[in-house]
């Protein structure tokens, strides 16, 4: 903006005020859009990535692994007998279990590994730069940490265990990102 000489001090003050207000509104819009973007990527209950964000990252990491001939591993974790836990202790206890398991997974894996809620009681884990043998060890640490965890709801310990399936690249059966999910799901069962 500009003002021509001679200028009125009240007009100059008004224009400055308008631009300061615009700048503040633009900053608020950027903050709101950033938060909205974050919310589209996060599961609201567990506060880990959601399935949509997982799909995007899986494709990105697969393309990177293929291009640079680097290992990539993917795991699916299913909480054992989760329906029975919900039926016995109630859905709030099941929700607590999901939140606590998500925390355990995040605390056990590396900070740059991706943890996502895949389905009801299923979590997916994406480990870049990790070959199959190291992924199996990492996922076993996760499984063991969940089994050892003392998760209580209303002073009652919840019996929580998990099963895992792993798929890794390079592998002759992994030709696209969806193959990780298919192979890990088959290994899970």
């Amino acid at each position: 903006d500009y003002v021509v000489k001679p200028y009125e001090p009240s007009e100059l003050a008004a224009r400055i005020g308008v631009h300061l207000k615009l700048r503040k509104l633009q900053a608020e819009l950027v903050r709101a859009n950033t938060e909205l973007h974050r919310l589209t990527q996060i599961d609201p209950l567990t506060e880990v990535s959601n399935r949509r964000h997982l799909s995007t990252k899986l494709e990105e990491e697969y393309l990177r692994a293929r291009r640079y001939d680097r290992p990539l591993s993917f795991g699916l974790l299913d909480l054992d007998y989760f329906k029975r836990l919900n039926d016995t202790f109630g859905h709030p206890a099941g929700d607590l279990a999901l939140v606590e398991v998500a925390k355990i997974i995040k605390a056990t894996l590396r900070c740059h590994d991706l943890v996502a809620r895949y389905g009801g009681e299923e979590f997916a884990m994406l480990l870049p730069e990790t070959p199959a043998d190291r992924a199996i060890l990492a996922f076993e640490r996760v499984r063991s940490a969940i089994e050892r965890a003392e998760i209580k709801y209303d002073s009652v310990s919840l019996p929580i265990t998990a099963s895992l399936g792993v798929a890794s690249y390079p592998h002759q059966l992994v030709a696209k990102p969806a193959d990780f999910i298919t192979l890990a799901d088959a290994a899970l069962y």
Side-chain angles (χ1 to χ4, degrees), residues 72-86:
L72 176 63
S73 291
F74 177 84
L76 276 179
L77 179 146
D78 186 64
L79 295 181
D80 301 327
Y81 310 110
F82 191 73
K83 183 181 177 341
R84 186 178 350 165
L85 184 137
N86 270 338

Side-chain angles (χ1 to χ4, degrees), residues 75-78 125 139-140 142-143 162-166 184 187-189:
L76 276 179
L77 179 146
D78 186 64
M125 297 155 289
F139 293 144
E140 176 54 27
V142 168
R143 189 206 61 75
S163 299
L164 286 115
V166 182
L188 175 65
Y189 289 101

Side-chain angles (χ1 to χ4, degrees), residues 15 19 34 54 58 68 79 135 141 154 159-161 164 186:
R15 286 183 187 220
H19 286 285
T34 301
L54 169 70
L58 179 59
Y68 297 110
L79 295 181
R141 281 194 307 272
D154 284 344
I160 300 172
T161 58
L164 286 115

Side-chain angles (χ1 to χ4, degrees), residues 11-44:
E11 181 183 350
L12 178 62
R15 286 183 187 220
I16 290 171
V18 165
H19 286 285
L20 289 174
K21 187 173 183 178
L22 280 173
R23 184 173 179 181
K24 182 181 176 188
L25 289 172
Q26 287 172 337
E28 288 175 12
L29 183 60
V30 167
R31 276 193 296 278
N33 283 337
T34 301
E35 178 64 8
L36 185 59
H37 181 69
R38 187 189 75 77
L39 291 173
T40 64
Q41 297 179 343
I42 301 295
D43 175 66

Side-chain angles (χ1 to χ4, degrees), residues 2 17 21 23 25 35 45-47 85 133 153 165 174:
Y2 69 95
K21 187 173 183 178
R23 184 173 179 181
L25 289 172
E35 178 64 8
L45 177 65
T46 61
E47 295 187 358
L85 184 137
D133 58 339
Y153 180 77
V174 177

Side-chain angles (χ1 to χ4, degrees), residues 44-47 94-104 123 151:
L45 177 65
T46 61
E47 295 187 358
D95 287 350
L96 172 72
L98 292 170
V99 168
E100 293 302 315
V101 165
K103 288 178 187 174
I104 291 166
F123 291 89
I151 300 172

